[in-house]
Amino acid sequence: MTVDTPSRPAQAERRARAAVAVLFFTNGALFANLLPRYPQIKADLDMSNAVYGLAVAAFPAGALVAGLAAGAAIRRLGSARAAVTGTLLTGAGILAAGLADSVALFAGALFLAGAMDSVTDVAQNAHGLRVQRRYGRSIINSFHAIWSIGAVAGGSMAAAAIALGLSRGQHLTFSAVVFAIAACVALRFCLTGPENDRAPESDGDGDGLVKRSAGPAVPGRRTVYVLAALVLIATAGTLVEDAGSSWATLYLSGSLQASITLAAFGYIALVGAQFVGRIIGDRLVDRFGQRTVARAGGLIAAAGMGLALAVPTVPGTILGFAAAGFGVATLVPAAMHEADELPGLKPGSGLAIVSWLMRLGFLASPPIVGLVTDATSLRAGLLVVPLAGLLAFLLAGVLRPRHR
């Protein structure tokens, strides 16, 4: 087989890889700058837990609605331009949400931000996969790890802004401008040319470049069942991520009475530990297999957060969110990778289905947790985290075992 790409990455590919890394970093940092501001916004707009849960669900709702339009945006603009355009509009939506003076405006701005974020997410992954094909080896996990760094940086920026007494307008305007400039500069170094530069087939190892046949796509019953299980595994990962983004700060500052600055570290701990899990995840999968890693991760998330909820303290809860983030670090990439290789599906179809449907976890989680919280307590609502870990443990059998 011949491939029309160099065996070693040229300068253009290395620059493109750095550019995509900047886009992932920016995507992670933008929304994370808003999250620690949620308790202030909730108080200023006098929202109950149920109303708050419904309002913040507007972000994943926008992502779900716009997710299917991302492909059209990529075809029209190209993946790099679509990612940057989405970044600019995401920043505008987040700024509007931070300045909102009504629940309706807050939810509407989050809906816009979520819709544009989903376009950015798909487009930057598509461009990252273009760069990966030029490299001839898997590098996509490194981009997701960099997203986690961006999320930690964004949360830390917000915590610093709060500590310095900056208003939401000052803080979020600065964030939107800085990351808009970063995204526009990155665009200059992205790949050019047509999007459909995929090689007809490629060989590779367990990291993800696999040989495909060109046969007809006729999914069987088992394929449908496995795909459904993969959607649930990915959704388990998103449920934990959403618990950290939507409720960690509120739980620590409200139920456990931590300072607002310290409370921000619940989310920071989750995404920071998730980053560590993604950095070492490939090596763990190579050694133990995806199935074992997912099962162990599910147990770590369930046990860590379960213990934190059973014995609630501020340090223990921050460690619990860290355990949850570390445990679910490989779930979404594992589900996407397995879905993309399911027999009987056209290349990319399984990945697209899992990517779109897992957003239901982000959509359903906030209002469910909010309703449970109003009926009982936020501590009870956060049981969704250990339950998600157990779900991943139970369904991990559909993932591939260690290669022998």
Side-chain angles (χ1 to χ4, degrees), residues 299-312 316 320-321 323-324 379 382-383 385-387:
L299 286 179
I300 290 171
M305 197 62 196
L307 181 61
L309 293 173
V311 186
F321 277 112
R379 184 179 169 193
L382 286 174
L383 285 172
V385 176
L387 290 175

Side-chain angles (χ1 to χ4, degrees), residues 54 67 199 206 222 232 241 246 251 277 326 334 337 349 353 378 403:
L54 289 170
R222 184 182 182 281
L232 290 174
E241 289 182 28
S246 298
Y251 179 63
F326 182 82
H337 179 255
S349 296
I353 292 169
L378 183 50
H403 292 291

Side-chain angles (χ1 to χ4, degrees), residues 276-314:
V276 173
R278 286 172 173 169
I279 285 291
I280 67 175
D282 285 334
R283 275 182 268 180
L284 291 175
V285 168
D286 288 342
R287 182 168 183 177
F288 301 108
Q290 192 65 262
R291 182 182 300 171
T292 300
V293 172
R295 282 177 172 162
L299 286 179
I300 290 171
M305 197 62 196
L307 181 61
L309 293 173
V311 186
T313 64
V314 171

Side-chain angles (χ1 to χ4, degrees), residues 202-269:
S202 60
D203 297 328
D205 55 22
D207 273 340
L209 299 181
V210 299
K211 188 171 182 177
R212 286 188 175 277
S213 65
V218 184
R221 181 175 297 179
R222 184 182 182 281
T223 296
V224 174
Y225 290 155
V226 171
L227 187 60
L230 294 175
V231 169
L232 290 174
I233 290 172
T235 301
T238 64
L239 286 172
V240 173
E241 289 182 28
D242 180 75
S245 63
S246 298
W247 300 102
T249 305
L250 282 175
Y251 179 63
L252 284 160
S253 63
S255 301
L256 301 185
Q257 309 208 329
S259 68
I260 190 65
T261 302
L262 182 59
F265 283 90
Y267 176 69
I268 292 170

